[in-house]
Amino acid sequence: MADPHKDKPVGYVRMSEQQQASSAASIAVKLPLTLDGVDGYTAIKSYRQLATQNLKMLVLTCPGEKMMDPMFGVGLRNFLFQMNNVTTHGDIEARINNQVGMYLPYLEILGIDFDTKENEMQENFASNYLHISIHFRIKPLDVYEVLAVSVTGN
């Protein structure tokens, strides 16, 4: 296998996740916007955090909500009042896999877990509640992450 750093300048050193997080340069703004005493707005300083935020935004954005790209988004809230069964879970999983393949090709979805009132046996869950855990890998970093997302009809 060829060395990916072969053509880099002599002084080139690849930054680790810890070095990225502690460096002063920020990659993006963390959403939702919050003020930070250091950077002004809270900043994302690692590619790991950025990939997780991008996946969360993709899952929570409804199709048609993003300007200039009406196909962007899974629209998880659109599934809230549908039957909470295996068929709906399959539709959500297919939508997530399709959208990630189209907009976030640097991620690999490893699995999606659905937590429902029946699964958890908790009475405090509303019928219009959906919680999913998305297990994914960030391909360029070869890092595994889990994104937990909950939405309610309220």
Side-chain angles (χ1 to χ4, degrees):
M1 183 171 169
D3 182 11
H5 305 294
K6 184 179 91 176
D7 296 328
K8 302 293 181 195
V10 175
Y12 176 80
V13 176
R14 183 176 176 174
M15 292 176 63
S16 69
E17 284 289 318
Q18 291 81 18
Q19 290 170 326
Q20 288 177 14
S22 65
S23 68
S26 61
I27 300 170
V29 177
K30 186 173 182 181
L31 298 174
L33 294 175
T34 55
L35 290 176
D36 180 355
V38 177
D39 297 318
Y41 287 108
T42 305
I44 291 178
K45 296 184 179 182
S46 76
Y47 290 107
R48 190 177 197 162
Q49 292 175 322
L50 181 63
T52 303
Q53 176 175 289
N54 288 344
L55 179 59
K56 184 177 181 180
M57 294 300 113
L58 182 71
V59 169
L60 294 177
T61 301
C62 292
E65 190 175 1
K66 183 175 179 184
M67 298 288 278
M68 305 300 290
D69 193 353
M71 300 303 292
F72 180 86
V74 172
L76 194 58
R77 282 188 174 85
N78 296 342
F79 292 96
L80 273 179
F81 296 102
Q82 293 186 13
M83 295 296 293
N84 194 0
N85 57 26
V86 177
T87 304
T88 304
H89 296 174
D91 292 344
I92 294 170
E93 190 168 351
R95 182 94 179 134
I96 290 171
N97 284 320
N98 182 24
Q99 289 287 302
V100 167
M102 189 180 311
Y103 293 102
L104 304 174
Y106 54 90
L107 298 182
E108 175 186 0
I109 301 297
L110 303 173
I112 300 173
D113 298 327
F114 293 87
D115 296 326
T116 62
K117 182 164 66 170
E118 292 79 25
N119 291 347
E120 297 294 326
M121 297 304 294
Q122 293 181 2
E123 296 300 322
N124 60 348
F125 283 169
S127 60
N128 56 348
Y129 171 87
L130 181 60
H131 177 84
I132 62 172
S133 297
I134 304 171
H135 302 265
F136 65 98
R137 181 174 76 96
I138 305 168
K139 294 177 190 177
L141 301 176
D142 197 27
V143 175
Y144 298 88
E145 287 287 325
V146 177
L147 172 66
V149 179
S150 298
V151 292
T152 62
N154 301 337

